Amino acid sequence: MMRVNLKILGLPTLSKVTGKKELDVNFEGKTVNDLIDYIVRRYGRKAEEALLDGGGKLDITIQVLRNGREWITHDRLDTVLRDGDSIALMLMVAGG
């Protein structure tokens, strides 16, 4: 069983479904993809709509940050997490 601290930033639909913007998540799995799959299974269709694109992949507008300093790019979602990691899921905001 893996435990991570999940922070939800700029994703109001997801934080509404989970009831929090920050939560400790215990899940079976090892990777960022496993965590995302767990969230979708645990919280259902609204979480799926908030996180995934039409092809079932993490939406390109969502960024993943591990431990406040390592960006996990969409081609590295198979990155193995460590017990106790902090993962932030955040909506990418464009502007200038």
Side-chain angles (χ1 to χ4, degrees), residues 42-61:
R42 169 76 173 81
Y43 295 102
R45 189 175 62 81
K46 293 277 189 195
E48 180 178 351
E49 290 171 358
L51 289 174
L52 305 182
D53 64 18
K57 303 280 187 201
L58 184 64
D59 193 281
I60 194 74
T61 63

Side-chain angles (χ1 to χ4, degrees), residues 79-91:
T79 296
V80 175
L81 300 172
R82 290 183 292 276
D83 196 51
D85 274 351
S86 176
I87 299 296
L89 297 176
M90 63 187 77
L91 187 62

Side-chain angles (χ1 to χ4, degrees), residues 10 17 23-26 34 36 44 46 52 64 68 72 81 84 86 93:
V17 169
L23 57 153
D24 287 321
V25 178
N26 295 298
D34 293 339
I36 292 164
K46 293 277 189 195
L52 305 182
V64 181
I72 307 290
L81 300 172
S86 176
V93 179

Side-chain angles (χ1 to χ4, degrees), residues 1-2 12 22 39 65 84 92 96:
M1 187 72 70
M2 174 79 63
E22 185 171 343
I39 294 166
L65 182 64
M92 179 173 58

